[in-house]
Amino acid sequence: MVPFKTQTKHLIAALLLLPIQLFPGPTSADETSARAAMESAENPLVVITSGAGNIYLELLEDEAPRNVQNFLALAEGELEITDRQSGQTFSPRYFDGMTFHRVIPGFLIQTGSPAENVFGEPAEILADEINASSLGLDRMPAVLADGSFNPILQLSDREDLEEALLVPLYRTLGIESNGEIAERQYELDQHLRTLTIKQVYENQGYRYTEQHPTRPISRGTVALTNSGPNTNSAGFFISLVPAEWLNGRYTVIGRVVEGLDVVERINQQSAARGGNRRATLIYSIRRL
């Protein structure tokens, strides 16, 4: 274990780099109103205490049990982290002292990235917990009746088309050369005409479950960031808008029940500062 003084030194070093707001802006969010807004009293309730105010999250343990438990363990200092410099391990409250380092105006706020954490990176990377069928992705065509591609795929050019759809399809069908593409053109055409969004994502490497329901990403949804299929760690984002193009690719772990105005404030403040990545400090994330 790293000595307490070493942990403290790391945290102080991180905090000295951050502008701390001692008096957060006014907000009506509190624990009582947060609990009243929960879907189930059995779900964990956590509060993000930040420089802009408090954000209360209802975690959806029945929908993503392993990833929710991992999130809570990180927040409560129950998981070992390997120090980047010394190689020693210790168990900090992972999110304390971090910032909402990535903000996309009018869209989302994001934090928790291991690359942004002074302590290091969680050892375990978790698999996705996503039910594509409950999202309707198994009934959603990749190619529409007029021959255009479904806008959910966000294919803006030929490069996007090849990377997101064609190359994964070639790999799934065992096609390894341009000659085979030409020879099997009719087969490829038939596959494209019947391909669903779920199958597109499965060709990319996503694997889905039928054990738990999954809700779409909408305003106030909390979901884990990733670098591809089955790469969930500590990073998460809060969406400010419905984002159906993200459905099926990001594990949803919760929803904002109070403090969505704070999420908006963080989003707007960062945008006003020209995307200042250190605009809002997270003092702590705690289970209530």
Side-chain angles (χ1 to χ4, degrees):
M1 300 289 288
V2 173
F4 175 76
K5 287 184 178 179
T6 302
Q7 294 187 40
T8 304
K9 181 179 70 174
H10 279 296
L11 183 56
I12 291 174
L15 294 178
L16 287 175
L17 296 174
L18 306 174
I20 299 176
Q21 299 177 26
L22 296 178
F23 303 100
T27 177
S28 60
D30 60 37
E31 183 176 347
T32 301
S33 56
R35 290 196 182 281
M38 292 176 68
E39 293 179 1
S40 171
E42 301 301 315
N43 286 334
L45 177 66
V46 303
V47 58
I48 302 175
T49 305
S50 81
N54 291 346
I55 305 167
Y56 291 82
L57 309 180
E58 177 182 11
L59 300 183
L60 306 170
E61 200 164 23
D62 289 342
E63 299 182 24
R66 286 200 66 207
N67 283 286
V68 165
Q69 285 304 314
N70 188 69
F71 178 88
L72 288 170
L74 286 167
E76 296 174 356
E78 297 175 356
L79 294 183
E80 287 191 343
I81 307 295
T82 300
D83 183 73
R84 289 191 182 98
Q85 296 181 346
S86 68
Q88 294 178 290
T89 59
F90 56 107
S91 302
R93 290 184 178 271
Y94 184 84
F95 300 104
D96 294 10
M98 297 192 73
T99 64
F100 287 99
H101 69 277
R102 182 170 182 253
V103 173
I104 301 178
F107 180 21
L108 59 75
I109 63 174
Q110 179 177 321
T111 188
S113 169
E116 299 290 327
N117 192 292
V118 70
F119 296 111
E121 182 171 1
E124 187 174 14
I125 303 299
L126 298 185
D128 296 316
E129 291 176 293
I130 305 171
N131 186 333
S133 298
S134 70
L135 292 168
L137 301 183
D138 59 332
R139 302 181 298 278
M140 198 174 295
V143 180
L144 304 181
D146 63 1
S148 63
F149 292 103
N150 196 313
I152 286 178
L153 294 173
Q154 294 198 309
L155 305 177
S156 59
D157 53 33
R158 176 72 185 188
E159 184 177 347
D160 285 346
L161 173 62
E162 290 182 348
E163 180 180 349
L165 200 156
L166 295 180
V167 172
L169 179 59
Y170 298 156
R171 188 184 307 118
T172 300
L173 296 177
I175 295 176
E176 298 179 349
S177 68
N178 289 332
E180 287 184 272
I181 293 175
E183 291 173 4
R184 300 172 65 178
Q185 191 64 50
Y186 178 78
E187 178 187 356
L188 284 168
D189 181 67
Q190 293 304 305
H191 272 284
L192 285 171
R193 290 179 184 277
T194 60
L195 204 61
T196 65
I197 297 297
K198 178 183 178 182
Q199 290 171 324
V200 170
Y201 294 158
E202 286 177 327
N203 289 345
Q204 294 174 3
Y206 289 93
R207 295 294 175 262
Y208 297 112
T209 180
E210 300 288 332
Q211 295 181 334
H212 315 289
T214 296
R215 64 189 65 199
I217 294 176
S218 59
R219 179 173 166 81
T221 297
V222 184
L224 299 176
T225 62
N226 63 51
S227 57
N230 299 316
T231 57
N232 298 312
S233 180
F236 68 94
F237 66 88
I238 303 174
S239 180
L240 280 167
V241 297
E244 60 179 358
W245 64 92
L246 302 182
N247 292 339
R249 299 191 292 132
Y250 296 89
T251 295
V252 172
I253 62 167
R255 56 187 287 266
V256 176
V257 288
E258 278 287 347
L260 197 54
D261 58 325
V262 178
V263 178
E264 291 178 330
R265 185 180 305 132
I266 293 169
N267 188 270
Q268 293 165 3
Q269 286 177 347
S270 179
R273 294 185 177 101
N276 185 345
R277 65 200 297 269
R278 301 195 183 279
T280 303
L281 174 70
I282 294 174
Y283 301 136
S284 67
I285 297 182
R286 296 287 186 271
R287 181 172 184 170
L288 297 173

